[in-house]
């Protein structure tokens, strides 16, 4: 099937098998390997991207379902050489170790701050509860997201 | 100077999605492999018909056991001098065992073709319960081994049994407890996989795979496949978590290599999650019976343990050769005990091979869990507070270096100080008062204490090797003319931040910014030999190598600086990161100045070569012994059996902390692991050997919701043997935390007369107890 998906603002047109998963479309067709794959059952969340601004597990979306839609991956977070606040937060607060869960966490964090600019710890934990991290024990991910919220709050003032 | 909190260098690529993991490697003309696995735990292979798969238009090769047998590659050695089938020829011995390998133009087609392979099996009775493995009528799993008539792997013991028995005979109080440390899996979020590229023209084989021990892999490939070692390059790119699961060589790696040799094209193989959970290295699976002999006032005198170790179908555990049960014999723990004895029996079962992985420091996890549960069992027997009982028995600071009853020499520590600090941070007395109030109201609150001593940094070559390869690690340091440096090390990070920490070590020693030091690792063509990263050995071994090679460079720099200053090297002192004439700091020369001079036309004394580069191999004189005190507070819902970890206080002493931020991150991760193992994670099987935890739907890992906000504290007791006093920390929290959680839950359930419960303490399991049923202490299907 011929599909056109806009990824990080760039339209991409490809002929794909109907069964192709969005995660494989991004990784193998477009070479955007920042989106990872980690389970067979939609549990781990390392494949999380934004579809029309909403976090989805790209292993659970067929590429054809993204036809005509806008996908944002971790590669799209940095704008004009400026890191997104959530990216900065993860560096500041050691929110990553192996980095495998990080892209998915960043995209969920971005969405959270877009909808809840000043989330408390409970809201952050709930927002990332569909995503696993095996390295950080989550503590520093929570702090990273709070750091980003504070930085953006500061910038708004 | 360079030690201290510093943001990680590696983060720049990871936050941009620019990491380079094995599955990100794409080579021109690359093919994709997939593995057909056994649906049975134990079955004879009658026939394999791959013709339909071979006829698939996108398939380039199908490799089966017989193909490999023709090449002498059907079996490979394990890290414990056993053998393991690469692709099964005679029988399958666990569910998920590798049977055939398909290579196709794309990953989806390779998977399609698996369904076209027709394997005829004759199912056999399976051995699933390790306690029945040695029954006279148990089916013999390893009939491939000459003369094998049972499922026995090894017997091993340590300590002084007679002395322990004598103390037991006269003891005022004894307690005994059976416990199981269930089979778990490290489950890093990146699964295992490999990209193999054999170049027929040059004869060079390049393998990308997420290995924690790239050099050991290269040597093993050379030994197994007969390929010349200098024609093998193992590249371990970014690794998405390892935790011990990525130490060994898996059949899929060998299949990818054979696939590339057969097709003449690069071959990528990545396992999926269920393959990862079913076939790669599990951990634990120790059935233990512990006993303590003590005085009535709570002085522990002797400890005995019997262990039945389930090693699965092939003994694939990665232990130093002399220690088939790893370092389990540190089970006397952190206590000053007169006598200790353990006897471990290993058996084969129809389960996946392995037996070490998962942040366990060579079985110290099992040992710490055993002793820390036993101490609580004793506390219950004596009616004594578990923290108080520990304080009464901890090794005292003046006893270091402390010779343990099983022969370890603990290097340094102040244990009571660490436990008291943890109690202070937790507000221990207040918590006990709160617990009493809540109990009076019928609420279930528990407080769990654990104390651990780790033994990491394996190890002295004289005592420790893996497959004959001594556990020493190399380091090379180059200093460029402008004073920027490149450090090459044999270990490989899986998230521990080596690119930062090791740069800090060099920076500190040379008086240059850590940003001026590039760390190269994970590529056997570019780094010196060494055994890699596991058992928390990177900082204790490679970190020591990095410090020592830096000091060698510094000594070379001294000679050059002396020539620059027209002084004698003996008249110089190293101060503030510069070589200067003693008492005259103004003469100080920085490393950058010295490096330039070392590469210049400056006249050097007779016999001095110039440049500053140096190499070293670090053979640790002893292990290092990090330790810590943990306190966990839980609330149990009597209606649902749900355990909520309310607080977790962790005081760690890992010696000198090079980058405290990274150390704390390591601890956080290990604490989450402890909660996972104590409350959620288990690899269970039914009586036919069907794996009941083969996906993340069934194998439950902790999320942000199950983890509390960790409360950390620290003490610092430098290691006397490590050049910078660091002890290592990677696995400390995974080792120490499960017992704290279980102790807390058992404490909460004390009103029900519970003294012990086997992990995982799932709501269903806890609820049974609350409703008057005994805790299940085995994992058979009810
Ligand atoms: S890959 Fe695990 S949720 Fe998508
Ligand atoms: S940083 Fe490794 S899984 Fe999250």
């Amino acid at each position: 099937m011929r599909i056109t998906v806009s990824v990080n603002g760039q339209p991409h047109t490809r002929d794909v098998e109907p069964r192709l998963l969005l995660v494989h479309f991004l990784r193998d067709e477009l070479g955007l390997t920042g989106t990872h794959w980690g389970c067979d059952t939609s549990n781990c969340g390392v494949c999380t991207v934004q579809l029309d601004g909403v976090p989805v597990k790209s292993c659970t979306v067929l590429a054809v379902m993204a036809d005509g839609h806008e996908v944002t991956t971790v590669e799209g977070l940095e704008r004009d050489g400026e890191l997104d606040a959530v990216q900065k937060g993860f560096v500041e607060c050691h929110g990553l170790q192996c980095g495998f869960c990080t892209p998915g966490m960043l995209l969920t964090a971005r969405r959270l701050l877009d909808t809840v600019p000043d989330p408390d710890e409970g809201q952050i934990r709930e927002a990332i509860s569909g995503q696993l991290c095996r390295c950080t024990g989550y503590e520093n991910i929570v702090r990273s997201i709070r750091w980003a919220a504070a930085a953006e709050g500061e910038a708004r003032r | 100077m360079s030690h201290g909190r510093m943001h990680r260098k590696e983060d720049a690529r990871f936050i941009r999605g620019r990491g380079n993991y094995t599955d990100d490697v794409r080579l021109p003309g690359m093919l994709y492999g997939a593995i057909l696995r056994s649906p049975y735990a134990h079955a004879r292979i009658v026939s394999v018909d791959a013709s339909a798969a071979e006829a698939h238009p996108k398939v380039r090769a199908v490799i089966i056991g017989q193909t490999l047998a023709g090449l002498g590659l059907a079996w490979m050695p394990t890290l414990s001098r056993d053998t393991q089938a690469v692709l099964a020829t005679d029988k399958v011995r666990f569910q998920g065992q590798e049977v055939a390998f398909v290579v196709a133009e794309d990953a989806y087609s390779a998977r399609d073709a698996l369904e076209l392979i027709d394997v005829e099996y004759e199912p056999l009775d399976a051995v699933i319960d390790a306690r029945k493995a040695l029954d006279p009528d148990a089916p013999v799993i390893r009939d491939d081994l000459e003369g094998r008539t049972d499922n026995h792997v090894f017997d091993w013991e340590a300590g002084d049994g007679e002395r322990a028995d004598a103390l037991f005979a006269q003891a005022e109080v004894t307690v005994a407890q059976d416990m199981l440390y269930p089979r778990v899996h490290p489950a890093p979020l990146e699964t295992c996989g490999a990209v193999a590229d054999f170049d027929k023209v040059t004869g060079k084989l390049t393998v990308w795979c997420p290995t924690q021990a790239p050099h050991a892999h290269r040597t093993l490939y050379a030994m197994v496949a007969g390929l010349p070692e200098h024609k093998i390059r193992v590249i371990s790119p970014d690794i998405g978590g390892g935790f011990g699961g990525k130490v060994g060589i898996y059949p899929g790696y060998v299949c990818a290599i054979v696939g590339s040799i057969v097709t003449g094209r690069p071959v990528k193989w990545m396992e999926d999650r269920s393959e990862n959970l079913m076939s790669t290295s599990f951990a634990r699976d120790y059935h233990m019976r512990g006993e303590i002999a003590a005085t009535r006032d709570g002085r522990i005198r002797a400890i005995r343990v019997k262990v039945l170790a389930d090693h699965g179908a092939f003994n694939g555990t990665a232990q130093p050769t002399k220690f088939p049960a790893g370092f389990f014999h540190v089970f006397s723990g952190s206590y000053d005990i007169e006598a200790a004895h353990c006897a471990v029996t290993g058996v084969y079962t129809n389960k996946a091979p392995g037996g070490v992985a998962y942040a366990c420091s060579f079985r110290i996890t099992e040992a710490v869990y055993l002793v820390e549960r036993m101490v609580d069992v004793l506390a219950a027997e004596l009616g004594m507070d578990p923290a108080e009982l520990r304080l009464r028995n901890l090794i005292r600071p003046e006893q270091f270096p402390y010779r343990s009853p099983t022969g370890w020499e603990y290097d340094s520590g102040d244990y009571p100080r660490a436990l008291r600090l943890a109690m202070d941070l937790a507000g221990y007395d207040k918590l006990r008062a709160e617990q009493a109030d809540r109990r009076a109201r019928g609420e279930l609150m528990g407080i769990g204490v654990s104390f651990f001593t780790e033994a990491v940094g394996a190890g002295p070559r004289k005592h420790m090797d893996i497959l004959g390869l001594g556990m020493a690690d190399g380091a090379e340091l180059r200093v460029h003319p402008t004073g920027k440096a490149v450090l090459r090390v044999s270990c490989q990070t899986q998230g521990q931040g080596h690119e930062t920490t090791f740069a800090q070590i060099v920076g500190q020693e040379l008086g240059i910014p850590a940003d001026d030091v590039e760390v190269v690792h994970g590529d056997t063509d570019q780094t010196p030999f060494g055994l890699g990263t596991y058992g928390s050995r990177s900082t204790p071994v490679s970190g020591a190598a990095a410090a020592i090679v830096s000091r060698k460079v510094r000594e070379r720099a001294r000679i050059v600086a002396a020539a620059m200053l027209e002084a004698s090297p003996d008249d110089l002192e190293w101060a503030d990161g510069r070589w200067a004439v003693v008492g005259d700091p103004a003469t100080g020369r920085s490393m950058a100045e010295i490096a330039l001079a070392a590469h210049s036309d400056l006249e050097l004394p007779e016999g001095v070569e110039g440049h500053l580069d140096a190499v070293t191999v670090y053979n640790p004189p002893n292990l290092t012994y990090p330790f810590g005190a943990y306190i966990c507070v839980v609330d149990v819902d009597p209606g649902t059996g749900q355990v909520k970890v309310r607080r977790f206080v962790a005081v760690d002493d890992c010696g000198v902390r090079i980058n405290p931020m990274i150390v704390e991150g390591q601890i956080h991760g290990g604490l989450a692991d402890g909660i996972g193992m104590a409350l959620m994670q288990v690899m269970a099987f039914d009586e036919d050997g069907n794996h009941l935890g083969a996906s993340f739907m069934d194998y439950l890992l902790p999320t942000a919701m199950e983890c509390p906000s960790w409360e950390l504290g620290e003490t610092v007791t430098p290691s006397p043997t490590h050049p910078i006093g660091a002890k290592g920390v990677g696995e400390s929290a995974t080792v120490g935390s499960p017992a704290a959680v279980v102790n807390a839950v058992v404490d909460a359930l004390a009103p029900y007369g519970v003294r012990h419960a086997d992990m995982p303490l799932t709501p269903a399991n806890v609820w049974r107890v609350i409703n008057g049923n005994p805790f299940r202490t085995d994992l058979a299907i009810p």
Side-chain angles (χ1 to χ4, degrees):
Chain A
M1 286 176 75
R2 171 159 292 248
I3 59 170
T4 299
V5 184
S6 168
V7 180
N8 302 328
Q10 277 295 106
H12 296 273
T13 302
R14 292 285 191 285
D15 277 318
V16 300
E17 278 192 68
R19 63 175 174 172
L20 183 72
L21 300 176
L22 179 59
V23 61
H24 292 140
F25 176 77
L26 295 169
R27 289 179 53 81
D28 301 337
E29 292 289 328
L30 306 186
L32 294 171
T33 54
T35 302
H36 299 142
W37 171 90
C39 74
D40 322 320
T41 49
S42 300
N43 288 96
C44 75
V46 301
C47 60
T48 302
V49 299
Q50 289 183 359
L51 186 62
D52 298 330
V54 179
V56 294
K57 290 176 172 172
S58 65
C59 71
T60 314
V61 175
L62 295 168
V64 295
M65 293 160 73
D67 185 21
H69 292 271
E70 174 71 43
V71 173
T72 305
T73 70
V74 65
E75 289 91 345
L77 281 176
E78 186 176 5
R79 298 268 163 98
D80 306 323
E82 178 70 13
L83 288 174
D84 191 279
V86 294
Q87 291 173 303
K88 291 183 192 161
F90 273 63
V91 175
E92 282 297 325
C93 302
H94 191 28
L96 66 153
Q97 290 181 29
C98 79
F100 208 69
C101 70
T102 312
M105 292 287 182
L106 290 172
L107 289 155
T108 298
R110 184 61 266 156
R111 169 67 179 186
L112 174 66
L113 298 187
D114 287 343
T115 47
V116 185
D118 188 22
D120 62 24
E121 178 180 340
Q123 288 171 309
I124 293 174
R125 286 185 183 269
E126 192 169 334
I128 60 170
S129 64
Q131 287 161 256
L132 297 172
C133 173
R134 296 292 287 146
C135 301
T136 64
Y138 304 103
E139 177 79 28
N140 286 346
I141 294 180
V142 173
R143 289 184 195 165
S144 300
I145 297 172
R146 286 183 59 83
W147 186 98
E152 289 187 336
E154 192 68 28
R156 270 192 302 272
R157 266 200 273 125
Chain B
M1 292 263 291
S2 261
H3 290 182
R5 278 172 204 275
M6 173 182 162
H7 293 153
R8 299 197 324 166
K9 296 169 159 230
E10 36 276 269
D11 289 354
R13 60 180 187 276
F14 292 136
I15 54 155
R16 291 175 171 87
R18 299 268 304 275
N20 184 34
Y21 303 90
T22 298
D23 198 21
D24 301 342
V25 174
R26 290 175 92 194
L27 302 176
M30 190 166 79
L31 299 171
Y32 295 81
I35 290 177
L36 181 71
R37 294 174 182 276
S38 164
Y40 295 105
H42 201 192
R44 196 159 296 290
I45 296 178
V46 179
S47 62
V48 182
D49 179 359
S51 51
E54 278 162 343
H56 187 288
K58 295 242 170 113
V59 168
R60 295 294 157 261
V62 180
I63 296 160
I64 63 171
Q66 294 310 332
T67 330
L68 293 181
L71 302 165
L73 288 175
W75 293 82
M76 63 179 188
T78 70
L79 295 175
S80 292
R81 297 177 196 259
D82 194 358
T83 50
Q84 172 174 0
V86 176
L87 293 175
T89 47
D90 54 341
K91 287 202 307 191
V92 287
R93 294 174 169 83
F94 66 93
Q95 188 186 48
Q97 188 180 334
E98 300 79 1
V99 174
F101 186 69
V102 168
V103 183
E105 291 288 343
D106 64 86
Y108 283 45
S109 298
R111 295 239 159 201
D112 289 346
L114 293 182
E115 296 184 11
L116 301 174
I117 300 174
D118 192 12
V119 184
E120 194 186 328
Y121 295 99
E122 177 193 317
L124 302 168
D125 286 341
V127 181
I128 301 306
D129 184 344
R131 292 164 300 183
K132 298 191 180 137
L134 297 179
D135 287 356
D137 58 346
V140 178
I141 298 167
R142 296 301 302 281
D143 46 357
D144 57 295
L145 299 172
E146 269 294 298
R148 179 61 68 161
T149 56
D150 61 20
N151 296 314
H152 182 259
V153 185
F154 66 85
D155 283 318
W156 186 78
E157 52 185 309
D160 187 340
E162 270 176 37
R163 189 134 174 258
D165 292 351
L167 288 167
F168 268 89
Q170 357 151 324
E172 291 173 17
V173 184
T174 63
V175 286
Q177 182 64 54
D178 289 307
M179 61 184 81
L180 169 67
Y181 205 134
R183 179 174 277 238
V184 288
H185 192 285
L189 291 185
E190 178 203 32
T191 59
C192 297
V195 176
D197 184 16
F198 181 69
D199 185 324
K200 277 206 167 87
V201 177
T202 61
K204 182 122 184 175
L205 170 69
T206 307
V207 183
W208 287 259
C209 87
T211 169
Q212 300 175 224
H215 290 275
H217 277 215
R218 185 192 64 204
T219 304
L220 285 182
Y221 289 139
M223 287 171 167
V224 175
L227 291 166
E229 196 170 358
H230 66 299
K231 295 283 191 186
I232 304 173
R233 178 181 186 187
V234 176
I235 299 176
S236 184
D238 288 325
I239 301 183
F243 318 113
K246 290 170 177 169
V247 175
I249 291 178
Y250 294 117
Y253 302 172
V254 179
C255 287
I257 292 170
V258 173
S260 180
I261 292 174
V262 167
T263 61
R265 289 165 66 177
V267 173
K268 176 189 282 185
W269 164 75
M270 287 301 300
E271 66 188 3
D272 66 25
R273 179 56 60 186
S274 64
E275 295 181 281
N276 175 254
L277 292 172
M278 287 170 85
S279 69
T280 57
S281 58
F282 74 93
R284 324 287 190 255
D285 222 343
Y286 259 32
H287 298 254
M288 306 183 275
R289 179 175 180 77
E291 294 174 283
I292 282 184
T295 61
R296 207 156 281 295
D297 61 356
R299 180 85 202 130
I300 301 171
R301 304 199 61 199
I303 181 164
R304 292 191 297 218
V305 191
K306 277 200 164 46
V307 180
L308 181 66
D310 184 337
H311 279 239
F314 308 100
N315 183 20
T317 134
Q319 313 289 359
T321 304
K322 278 190 200 165
F323 306 107
F327 299 165
F328 181 78
H329 55 307
V330 295
F331 69 94
S332 60
S334 313
Y335 308 104
D336 183 19
I337 301 179
E338 287 164 64
H341 180 258
C342 70
V344 184
T345 296
V347 295
Y348 290 121
T349 60
N350 288 112
K351 299 179 197 164
V356 57
Y358 203 171
C360 71
S361 299
F362 300 115
R363 300 281 194 199
I364 295 176
T365 319
E366 288 91 325
V368 165
Y369 179 73
L370 181 280
V371 65
E372 290 306 304
R373 276 277 52 246
M374 288 309 301
V375 169
D376 263 37
V377 169
L378 178 64
E381 175 74 22
L382 297 172
M384 195 178 277
D385 181 89
E388 175 56 31
L389 180 58
R390 283 178 173 80
L391 283 169
R392 231 170 254 199
N393 288 282
L394 286 174
I395 297 164
R396 294 183 311 280
E398 64 274 15
Q399 288 177 287
F400 290 92
Y402 174 81
R403 189 101 195 146
S404 89
T406 48
W408 302 85
E409 192 179 296
Y410 296 4
D411 57 357
S412 61
D414 186 340
Y415 293 0
R417 179 165 66 126
L419 180 50
R420 289 221 171 82
L421 176 58
M423 291 168 75
D424 285 350
L425 289 173
Y428 189 75
D429 295 338
K430 270 215 191 96
L431 285 171
R432 285 289 174 203
E434 180 192 343
Q435 181 184 39
D437 284 353
R438 287 188 187 265
R439 265 196 192 150
R441 295 201 297 266
E443 293 175 24
L444 303 177
M445 167 186 170
I447 303 158
V449 181
S450 76
F451 200 101
F452 69 91
T453 300
E454 271 252 79
V456 303
R461 291 172 56 166
K462 152 160 100 160
H463 301 303
M464 290 167 199
D465 68 271
I466 289 193
L467 281 184
L469 301 171
M471 300 182 82
D473 284 58
E476 293 175 12
L477 183 57
R478 287 185 202 167
V479 181
H480 297 320
T482 55
K484 314 287 179 194
V486 178
L487 174 76
R488 295 166 190 274
V489 286
S490 55
C491 60
Q492 168 61 346
T493 182
Q494 313 121 46
Q496 297 93 330
H498 292 177
E499 289 164 39
T500 307
T501 304
F502 283 45
Q504 291 183 267
I505 294 174
V506 173
Q508 176 86 13
E509 299 294 333
L510 297 188
I512 61 177
D515 278 334
D516 287 354
V517 184
E518 184 82 1
V519 175
V520 177
H521 54 179
D523 181 345
T524 57
D525 269 8
Q526 297 206 50
T527 55
F529 189 88
L531 284 205
T533 297
Y534 43 87
S536 297
R537 65 191 299 281
S538 292
T539 296
V541 184
S542 288
I548 285 173
V549 79
S550 303
R551 289 175 192 179
K552 284 192 177 181
V553 163
R554 205 164 73 196
E555 282 310 305
R556 293 180 71 110
R558 176 189 205 139
I559 295 169
V560 177
M564 292 168 80
L565 295 168
E566 296 176 4
S568 154
D570 294 341
D571 295 337
L572 301 192
E573 67 177 352
W574 178 255
D576 296 333
R578 298 145 81 90
W579 282 116
V581 175
V582 179
D584 187 2
T587 59
R589 293 288 185 269
S590 71
M591 197 50 66
E593 291 166 322
I594 300 170
L596 197 56
H599 290 81
S600 73
D601 60 358
L602 174 76
E603 195 157 336
L604 294 170
E606 197 55 32
V608 174
E609 292 166 323
H611 301 185
L612 297 176
D613 307 346
V615 301
T616 197
V617 175
Y618 185 72
N619 175 26
N622 187 10
L623 300 175
T624 56
Y625 295 79
F627 58 92
Y630 292 171
I631 296 177
C632 175
V633 183
V634 301
D635 295 300
V636 178
D637 182 336
T640 62
Q642 184 83 37
V643 176
K644 174 89 194 150
V645 178
R646 189 206 304 176
R647 290 181 62 197
F648 202 111
V649 173
V651 172
D652 273 86
D653 190 324
C654 56
V656 171
R657 297 183 174 203
I658 299 156
N659 184 329
M661 176 191 86
I662 288 179
V663 168
E664 288 158 14
Q666 293 287 297
I667 295 167
H668 289 163
L671 296 176
D673 264 342
I675 286 187
M677 284 182 281
L679 303 180
M680 307 166 76
Q681 296 167 222
V682 64
M683 314 239 92
F685 296 81
D686 71 10
E687 59 269 28
D688 295 324
N690 292 306
H691 198 302
L692 304 176
S695 81
F696 283 164
M697 303 238 253
D698 299 308
Y699 187 65
L700 302 180
L701 301 170
T703 72
M705 303 302 274
E706 283 79 38
C707 295
S709 184
W710 315 109
E711 301 169 58
L712 305 192
E714 67 174 274
T715 60
V716 176
T717 315
S719 162
T721 52
H722 190 279
I724 53 179
K727 290 190 170 189
V729 73
E731 297 162 320
S732 286
T734 315
V735 167
S737 59
V741 181
V742 174
N743 287 350
V745 177
V746 171
D747 185 48
L749 298 175
Y752 298 91
V754 176
R755 270 200 188 177
H756 174 71
D758 280 337
M759 300 180 280
L761 304 174
T762 59
N765 214 349
V766 172
W767 188 80
R768 280 172 62 89
V769 177
I770 291 171
N771 286 281
N773 298 304
F775 249 116
R776 275 175 49 200
T777 53
D778 66 76
L779 296 162
I781 298 306

